[in-house]
Amino acid sequence: MTKLTVSTSPHIHSDFTTRKIMSMVIAALAPAGIVGIYFLGIRALLVIIACIAASVLSEYLWQKIMKQKSTVGDLSAVLTGLLIAYNLPPTIPLHMAICGCVFAIIVVKQFYGGIGCNIVNPALAARAMMLISWPVAMTTWTLNGISGATPLSGMKAGMISDMPSCWNLLVGNMGGCIGETCGVLLILGGAYLVWENVISWRIPVVYIFTAAILSGIFNHGGDAHFMYEIFTGGLLLGAIYMATDYTTSPMTAKGQYIYAFGCGLLTALIRTWGGYPEGVSFSILIMNVAVPLIDKYTEPRILGAPKSNFFKRMGAK
């Protein structure tokens, strides 16, 4: 007698596990971090180690206290710690970096139910919290032991004569956060993730080019070359590795286009007229909150169901 197994969807399974996906993203990020350590010094390595250790320990202890099954082995806490470190200057005091990691893991992730339940990206939420709490420490940049402004800060102040050369721009030999300076390696890592079907090309490509084109239209940076819009600041890091987070990005292709355009528009607006020279973190966080609404109004029509009127879907009588 043939036995039938009754189960809920999905019925088609993938070889991708959470641990495998996280390990692939970590591998894609590793080269940019190595270059960041090379140019910014051993202090950058200490920040990375502190952030990863604090994130993993926070998740382990929280789940131990709450008598939950430990999810440390899925490497999501490791990736969160790595992304937080990549969004910090190498001179950040370690206790501040650790506080940011604890906030990301416990408040942003675990309070909402753990992996897959958070409503915003934990690493970016931690960066925003730290930027508001410790603005001086979060905006103090050094290169070769010398403090100075980042290229984006110089563009906002109209000091384009002090911009790094195109070569330094590409390889990452400039002031900035640990993991955001080497744009070429960030792009290569993103291409690897697209090739492996870990992420879609839609969000990074639309986000990056929307931000760059609109910043040019808004005359951000004056006569500075458009490459500075793409290769300076956290645009590549945010667009490729954080805006594409499965939990906080839209599920549909149409929704991803809308979401990415919104991120690019907000980034250009904040860079041009905002109080901060960079707008990537706040832009992605704002669009994270809008994702449920985007998913609602871009969901595909069920086969055989009548086409619904837009205004009826919005609740109009």
Side-chain angles (χ1 to χ4, degrees):
M1 180 179 175
T2 303
K3 292 185 178 181
L4 299 178
T5 302
V6 179
S7 63
T8 58
S9 61
H11 302 295
I12 300 176
H13 298 277
S14 169
D15 291 333
F16 280 136
T17 62
T18 300
R19 181 184 176 88
K20 184 175 181 179
I21 291 172
M22 297 299 165
S23 63
M24 293 172 75
V25 178
I26 291 169
L29 282 164
I34 293 171
V35 172
I37 295 169
Y38 175 78
F39 284 120
L40 300 175
I42 194 66
R43 192 66 169 65
L45 177 61
L46 294 178
V47 172
I48 292 174
I49 293 173
C51 286
I52 292 175
S55 297
V56 172
L57 188 60
S58 296
E59 183 158 299
Y60 175 79
L61 291 177
W62 175 264
Q63 292 176 329
K64 195 78 171 176
I65 292 170
M66 301 302 293
K67 295 180 171 55
Q68 298 174 347
K69 181 180 178 181
S70 176
T71 58
V72 169
D74 64 16
L75 300 182
S76 61
V78 174
L79 179 58
T80 298
L82 184 63
L83 286 172
I84 292 173
Y86 276 25
N87 278 277
L88 299 177
T91 53
I92 189 80
L94 294 183
H95 72 275
M96 295 182 184
I98 292 170
C99 285
C101 294
V102 173
F103 176 83
I105 296 296
I106 295 180
V107 178
V108 184
K109 182 180 177 183
Q110 294 299 332
F111 275 14
Y112 285 88
I115 185 171
C117 300
N118 48 286
I119 60 173
V120 295
N121 185 283
L124 288 178
R127 186 180 191 276
M129 181 276 291
M130 296 173 70
L131 192 59
I132 294 169
S133 302
W134 304 294
V136 175
M138 287 291 290
T139 54
T140 299
W141 317 100
T142 61
L143 182 64
N144 299 323
I146 301 174
S147 298
T150 62
L152 275 183
S153 300
M155 291 169 68
K156 197 170 188 68
M159 300 182 298
I160 60 173
S161 59
D162 297 330
M163 292 290 106
S165 66
C166 289
W167 173 252
N168 287 333
L169 189 70
L170 292 174
V171 300
N173 187 19
M174 57 184 173
C177 293
I178 295 170
E180 70 181 20
T181 57
C182 189
V184 170
L185 291 180
L186 291 173
I187 291 174
L188 290 176
Y192 161 72
L193 295 179
V194 171
W195 177 263
E196 295 288 348
N197 293 317
V198 175
I199 64 173
S200 168
W201 60 269
R202 299 184 191 95
I203 292 175
V205 171
V206 175
Y207 184 176
I208 291 167
F209 283 99
T210 298
I213 292 170
L214 290 182
S215 294
I217 293 173
F218 298 156
N219 197 35
H220 173 248
D223 297 328
H225 196 278
F226 81 95
M227 283 183 61
Y228 287 97
E229 296 289 351
I230 297 175
F231 285 91
T232 60
L235 181 57
L236 291 173
L237 181 63
I240 298 171
Y241 299 95
M242 290 183 281
T244 54
D245 175 38
Y246 291 166
T247 307
T248 56
S249 62
M251 294 182 289
T252 65
K254 186 187 299 183
Q256 289 173 4
Y257 288 124
I258 297 170
Y259 167 81
F261 177 80
C263 287
L265 172 62
L266 290 171
T267 297
L269 289 173
I270 295 172
R271 282 185 172 186
T272 306
W273 293 293
Y276 295 105
E278 177 61 283
V280 170
S281 298
F282 293 106
S283 300
I284 297 176
L285 288 172
I286 291 170
M287 293 306 298
N288 284 166
V289 178
V291 164
L293 189 66
I294 294 172
D295 278 338
K296 179 179 179 180
Y297 292 110
T298 59
E299 61 183 0
R301 182 166 60 94
I302 299 174
L303 183 64
K307 293 182 179 180
S308 58
N309 183 276
F310 173 76
F311 294 103
K312 287 183 179 180
R313 296 182 73 182
M314 291 294 289
K317 301 294 184 181

